[in-house]
Amino acid sequence: MNKIKAYGTESHKDDLKEMTIERRDVLENDVKIDILYCGVCHSDIHAAKNDWGNSKYPLVPGHEIVGKVVEVGSAVKDYKEGDIVGVGCMVDSCQECQPCENDLEQFCEKGMVGTYNGKNKHTGKQTFGGYSTTVTVREEFVLKVPTNLDTKAVAPLLCAGITTYSPLNHWNVKKGDKVGVVGLGGLGHMGIKFAHAMGAETIMITTSPDKAKDAKRLGADDVIISKNEDEMKKHKNSFDFILNTVPVKHDINPYLNLLKIDATMCMVGAIEPLEPMNGGNLIMGRKRVAGSLIGGIKETQEMLDFCGEHNITSDIEMIDMQDINTAFERVTDSDVKYRFVIDMDSLK
Amino acid sequence: MNKIKAYGTESHKDDLKEMTIERRDVLENDVKIDILYCGVCHSDIHAAKNDWGNSKYPLVPGHEIVGKVVEVGSAVKDYKEGDIVGVGCMVDSCQECQPCENDLEQFCEKGMVGTYNGKNKHTGKQTFGGYSTTVTVREEFVLKVPTNLDTKAVAPLLCAGITTYSPLNHWNVKKGDKVGVVGLGGLGHMGIKFAHAMGAETIMITTSPDKAKDAKRLGADDVIISKNEDEMKKHKNSFDFILNTVPVKHDINPYLNLLKIDATMCMVGAIEPLEPMNGGNLIMGRKRVAGSLIGGIKETQEMLDFCGEHNITSDIEMIDMQDINTAFERVTDSDVKYRFVIDMDSLK
C-alpha cells in the first residue's frame, strides 16, 4: 500500500481538509495515474454531506479525473507511462453479468464500484476519489483522452459529459431534430454543446431570462423561458427529445406538453420524488419519460472521441485544492460557469 | 335528419333516461348502423357526470358499438347492408395531418371527433353515442367484425380491447417476454388475454389476492400481490413490459422497480396527477414510463382480426338499456366481470 495526500472529510458535518489515504500497489491489470485535474461534481457535495444517507467516512470525493499514467501492471495492453487518461464515476464492475456484457457497467447486477465511497474489490476497503494526488484503476475503467483538447477542461466530461451525451446518443438525436435542454448548469451546458454538435436544432429551456445569452454562446439556437406560458404554448407538441438536467424536485408536466407524439423526455438530474405527474400528459400523444445514468465505459470513450472530433470541452473555472470548501458553497448556490476543476499541483 | 330513441342525460346530476335524438341523413361516404349491442365503459360515467369538466348536454354515452349495416352512401366501397360492424371511440378526424396520415387518428392535430360529446362535422351539432338504436358514421371509422366471434362480447373490444392491444402491440410484446398487467378490470382483463395470446409470460399484478384465480382463468401464468413486499422484491428488475390499467391516482414507484433495464411501463388508465414519481427509479436502469390512448383505426381493425384468429372476446354481463343506472353504480363499485353490454333490442 502507498500513502498519499488527499482532501476529504471525516463526517458529514465537517469541511473537507487534507488527509492521508492509502492506495493499493499496482496489480497486473492496473494503471497508476498521477492526477493532474479533478472536476467538482454536485454529487461530491451530496456524498460529503451524506445527503443520500449512504456515505462512509473518511470520504474523499472526485470522479472527474484526468491524469498521466506513471506505472502499468504487467498485463496492461492499452496504456503506457506518459499517456494522458481519464477516470469517471466507476472503477470496477463484475464484467460478467448481462448489463456488463452489454457495455452498461453502470447497471452491473452485482453493483458497479464507485470511484469513491465504493468497496475496493482488491483490498476490501473503501474507494477514495480524485481529490488526491494519485489513483490506481483497473485498465478496463481507464479512458483515453484525445490529445487535441485542453486537458483541464476535459475533466468534467468524465461525469457531466457522459451523463448528457449518453441519452442524446441513445435516443439517436440527429440533424433535423428539435431538442430541448432543461436547466443550464454543469450538465445542461454540456447538453447544449452535444445536441448542437449532433446537428439538432437546440433549444435551451430555462426559468431564468438572464441565461439566454450564455445559452446561445454555448450553441443553443433559441431559448424558451419556461415561466412564459405563451412561449411554452407556441412550442407545444414540437420537440423530438428533451434532456432534463434539473437536479431537484420540480414539475415536469409543462415539459411533457412540449413533446411530439412518441417523443421522450429523459431525466438525468433529479433522483428524488418529483411533483405529481399527470397521467393524461403521457396518454395524450403516447409520450414517454425516461431516465439515464452516466453511461457505460465503451460509450464514455466514444463520447471523449466525439469531443476530440468536435473540439468540445467543458467551460471551467480553475481552483486550488485548498479552495474546495468555498467551491462547494458556490456550486450549491449555482454560482459557477459551469464547472470547477481542481489543479492537483496545489496538493502536491 | 332522423329522430331515434336513445338513453342519455340532460345534466351531470341526473340519472340516464330515454330521450329522442336526431341522426343525420346518410351522406355519400356514410354507413348507417342498426345498433345491436353497446358496451358500458367507465368513461361513459365520467362523461355523464361531467367528471372531466368538458361535458355538453344532452349527453348520450356509448363508444363500444356493434351493429348491422342497414344503409350505405353512394360512395361507400367496403360495407354493404347486412354486414356486422363495429364503431369505437372516434367517428371522424381531419384525415390530412401527420398523425392521421400515420394512422394515429386519436391524435389528430385538429382533434378527433368523439363518438359522443364531440362536434359532428356535418351538422355542426353534438355527436351522440351508442346508447341508441342507430348511428351513422363515415366509412373510414367503421370496423369489420370477425364472423366467428360472439357479437355481444365483441362490443367492449372497440374501447377496452384496442386500449390494451395497442400498447402491447406498439412495444412489440412477444413470446419469451415477461409482461405484467396492473389492475384487473375492464381494461386489465383484456390486457391479460392479449399478452397471453401474444405468447408472453403474463403476470397479473394486483392488490387483491381474491383476483388471483380469475386472472389465471383469463390467461395469467402467475399473480403478484403488490402489497406483498417479498413477492415484489423477488420480481425486481425482471419485466420486459408492464401495462398499467389502474384508472385512478396511485403510486407507480413499486412497479418501476419491477422493470428490466430499458423496459417500459405504459399507462392507459389514470389521466390524473399520480403520486410523486421518484426520478431515481427511472435513472437507475434507464427505465421508461409512457402513455397510450386507444389506438388508430387501422390498428383497431388489426386488433379485431387478431381477436378473430385467437378467438378472443371480452367477458361480459348483458343488461337491458333500462338497467343502465344500476350498471353505472356497479361499474363505479368495480362490481362487474368484466364489462356490461347493453342489448339494444330492449330500447327498440
Side-chain angles (χ1 to χ4, degrees):
Chain A
M1 301 290 273
N2 301 292
K3 291 194 172 174
I4 64 157
K5 277 192 197 174
Y7 241 72
T9 177
E10 301 282 355
S11 115
H12 69 279
K13 291 185 210 149
D14 297 340
D15 278 353
L16 269 61
K17 61 173 190 207
E18 193 177 317
M19 53 173 62
T20 302
I21 57 168
E22 287 188 333
R23 295 288 189 197
R24 70 175 182 258
D25 292 329
V26 172
L27 302 170
E28 61 174 357
N29 293 105
D30 280 346
V31 175
K32 182 175 175 183
I33 301 160
D34 177 49
I35 299 177
L36 299 172
Y37 307 109
C38 185
V40 178
C41 176
H42 209 132
S43 306
D44 297 348
I45 303 174
H46 288 306
K49 298 194 182 303
N50 197 21
D51 288 340
W52 296 327
N54 65 348
S55 297
K56 291 181 217 97
Y57 297 93
L59 187 142
V60 175
H63 57 206
E64 296 182 338
I65 299 169
V66 170
K68 186 183 282 191
V69 175
V70 289
E71 189 181 342
V72 296
S74 56
V76 169
K77 288 177 221 148
D78 289 345
Y79 298 96
K80 60 177 193 307
E81 223 181 295
D83 286 350
I84 300 296
V85 295
V87 176
C89 302
M90 305 181 277
V91 289
D92 217 332
S93 76
C94 85
Q95 301 280 294
E96 288 174 354
C97 67
Q98 197 70 55
C100 281
E101 295 224 327
N102 293 342
D103 296 308
L104 294 167
E105 299 89 350
Q106 73 272 37
F107 302 133
C108 172
E109 286 173 4
K110 296 193 180 150
M112 59 98 153
V113 178
T115 302
Y116 59 83
N117 199 41
K119 189 175 173 187
N120 188 316
K121 284 195 177 187
H122 303 283
T123 64
K125 295 183 182 170
Q126 178 95 334
T127 57
F128 296 116
Y131 294 6
S132 56
T133 55
T134 73
V135 64
T136 302
V137 179
R138 69 183 278 182
E139 179 177 25
E140 290 89 340
F141 289 80
V142 177
L143 288 308
K144 292 181 171 57
V145 172
T147 51
N148 61 318
L149 297 176
D150 175 6
T151 314
K152 298 187 289 296
V154 165
L157 300 179
L158 278 308
C159 173
I162 184 62
T163 298
T164 49
Y165 176 89
S166 177
L168 292 164
N169 182 46
H170 181 75
W171 273 273
N172 193 27
V173 163
K174 58 190 179 306
K175 195 171 161 60
D177 285 350
K178 181 171 172 180
V179 171
V181 177
V182 185
L184 183 53
L187 295 177
H189 98 288
M190 289 310 307
I192 292 176
K193 291 186 185 204
F194 285 131
H196 174 75
M198 289 170 181
E201 181 190 354
T202 303
I203 316 279
M204 176 77 228
I205 304 168
T206 174
T207 51
S208 321
D210 56 338
K211 288 189 175 170
K213 199 175 157 191
D214 220 27
K216 287 188 178 172
R217 178 184 64 77
L218 293 163
D221 296 289
D222 206 351
V223 176
I224 301 176
I225 306 304
S226 54
K227 287 174 183 164
N228 183 327
E229 282 185 24
D230 286 343
E231 267 188 72
M232 291 290 274
K233 213 168 170 179
K234 211 179 78 189
H235 290 270
K236 200 179 163 187
N237 300 336
S238 71
F239 280 84
D240 294 284
F241 185 77
I242 295 177
L243 180 69
N244 184 326
T245 72
V246 178
V248 292
K249 178 177 183 166
H250 64 290
D251 182 6
I252 63 171
N253 291 295
Y255 309 122
L256 295 178
N257 288 330
L258 297 178
L259 293 171
K260 274 188 186 166
I261 292 170
D262 285 331
T264 294
M265 172 162 75
C266 183
M267 316 292 297
V268 293
I271 61 160
E272 55 211 277
L274 305 167
E275 296 290 347
M277 172 174 68
N278 195 323
N281 286 337
L282 296 175
I283 289 173
M284 292 308 303
R286 201 163 55 187
K287 297 175 179 181
R288 299 112 201 257
V289 189
S292 181
L293 178 73
I294 46 175
I297 293 297
K298 187 179 167 205
E299 198 181 33
T300 305
Q301 187 62 60
E302 284 169 17
M303 178 274 304
L304 287 170
D305 296 344
F306 182 91
C307 288
E309 260 171 62
H310 294 268
N311 210 25
I312 293 173
T313 54
S314 180
D315 282 25
I316 58 167
E317 187 174 329
M318 294 300 296
I319 58 166
D320 285 346
M321 190 69 257
Q322 294 74 17
D323 302 330
I324 190 66
N325 294 302
T326 312
F328 271 16
E329 281 170 27
R330 286 185 53 199
V331 169
T332 305
D333 295 342
S334 304
D335 174 26
V336 52
K337 283 179 181 171
Y338 283 92
R339 209 65 157 178
F340 286 116
V341 171
I342 305 158
D343 183 344
M344 213 51 73
D345 264 353
S346 59
L347 187 63
K348 287 170 191 168
Chain B
M1 301 290 274
N2 301 292
K3 292 195 169 171
I4 63 154
K5 277 193 195 171
Y7 240 73
T9 178
E10 302 282 353
S11 115
H12 69 277
K13 289 185 211 150
D14 297 342
D15 276 355
L16 268 61
K17 61 175 187 207
E18 193 176 318
M19 54 172 61
T20 302
I21 58 168
E22 288 189 330
R23 295 288 189 197
R24 68 174 183 259
D25 293 329
V26 172
L27 302 169
E28 60 174 355
N29 294 105
D30 278 347
V31 175
K32 182 174 175 182
I33 301 160
D34 177 49
I35 299 178
L36 300 172
Y37 306 109
C38 186
V40 178
C41 175
H42 209 132
S43 306
D44 297 348
I45 304 173
H46 289 306
K49 298 195 183 304
N50 197 22
D51 288 340
W52 297 326
N54 65 347
S55 298
K56 292 181 217 96
Y57 298 91
L59 188 141
V60 174
H63 58 206
E64 294 182 340
I65 300 170
V66 170
K68 187 183 281 191
V69 176
V70 289
E71 190 182 342
V72 297
S74 57
V76 168
K77 289 178 221 145
D78 289 345
Y79 298 96
K80 60 177 194 308
E81 225 181 292
D83 286 351
I84 300 296
V85 296
V87 176
C89 301
M90 306 181 276
V91 289
D92 218 332
S93 76
C94 84
Q95 301 280 294
E96 289 173 356
C97 67
Q98 197 69 55
C100 281
E101 295 224 326
N102 292 342
D103 297 308
L104 295 168
E105 299 89 351
Q106 73 272 36
F107 303 132
C108 173
E109 285 174 5
K110 295 191 179 152
M112 58 99 154
V113 178
T115 302
Y116 60 82
N117 200 42
K119 189 176 173 186
N120 188 315
K121 284 196 176 183
H122 303 284
T123 63
K125 295 181 182 170
Q126 178 95 334
T127 57
F128 296 117
Y131 294 7
S132 57
T133 55
T134 73
V135 65
T136 302
V137 178
R138 70 182 280 183
E139 180 178 22
E140 291 88 341
F141 289 80
V142 177
L143 288 305
K144 292 181 172 60
V145 172
T147 51
N148 63 316
L149 298 176
D150 175 7
T151 314
K152 300 186 289 296
V154 165
L157 300 179
L158 277 311
C159 174
I162 184 61
T163 298
T164 48
Y165 175 88
S166 178
L168 292 165
N169 182 45
H170 181 75
W171 273 274
N172 193 27
V173 164
K174 58 189 183 305
K175 195 172 159 62
D177 285 352
K178 181 171 173 182
V179 170
V181 177
V182 185
L184 182 54
L187 295 176
H189 98 287
M190 290 308 308
I192 291 176
K193 291 185 184 202
F194 285 130
H196 174 74
M198 289 171 180
E201 181 191 355
T202 302
I203 316 279
M204 177 76 228
I205 305 168
T206 175
T207 51
S208 321
D210 56 340
K211 288 188 175 169
K213 198 175 160 193
D214 221 25
K216 287 189 177 171
R217 179 185 62 78
L218 293 163
D221 296 291
D222 206 349
V223 176
I224 302 176
I225 307 305
S226 54
K227 287 174 182 165
N228 183 328
E229 282 184 26
D230 285 344
E231 268 187 70
M232 292 290 274
K233 211 167 172 180
K234 210 179 78 188
H235 290 270
K236 199 178 164 188
N237 300 335
S238 71
F239 280 83
D240 293 284
F241 185 77
I242 295 177
L243 180 68
N244 184 326
T245 73
V246 179
V248 293
K249 179 177 182 166
H250 64 290
D251 181 7
I252 63 173
N253 291 297
Y255 309 122
L256 296 178
N257 288 331
L258 297 178
L259 293 171
K260 274 186 186 168
I261 292 170
D262 284 331
T264 294
M265 173 162 75
C266 183
M267 314 293 297
V268 293
I271 61 162
E272 56 212 279
L274 304 167
E275 295 290 347
M277 173 175 66
N278 196 323
N281 286 338
L282 296 176
I283 290 173
M284 291 309 302
R286 200 162 57 185
K287 297 175 180 182
R288 300 114 200 256
V289 190
S292 181
L293 178 72
I294 46 175
I297 294 297
K298 188 180 165 205
E299 198 180 35
T300 305
Q301 188 61 61
E302 285 169 16
M303 178 274 303
L304 287 169
D305 296 344
F306 182 90
C307 289
E309 258 173 62
H310 295 268
N311 211 25
I312 292 173
T313 54
S314 180
D315 283 24
I316 58 167
E317 187 175 331
M318 294 301 295
I319 58 167
D320 285 346
M321 189 69 257
Q322 294 74 17
D323 303 329
I324 189 66
N325 294 301
T326 313
F328 271 17
E329 281 170 29
R330 286 185 52 199
V331 170
T332 304
D333 295 343
S334 303
D335 174 26
V336 53
K337 283 182 181 171
Y338 282 93
R339 210 67 158 176
F340 286 117
V341 171
I342 306 159
D343 183 345
M344 214 50 75
D345 264 353
S346 59
L347 187 63
K348 289 171 191 168

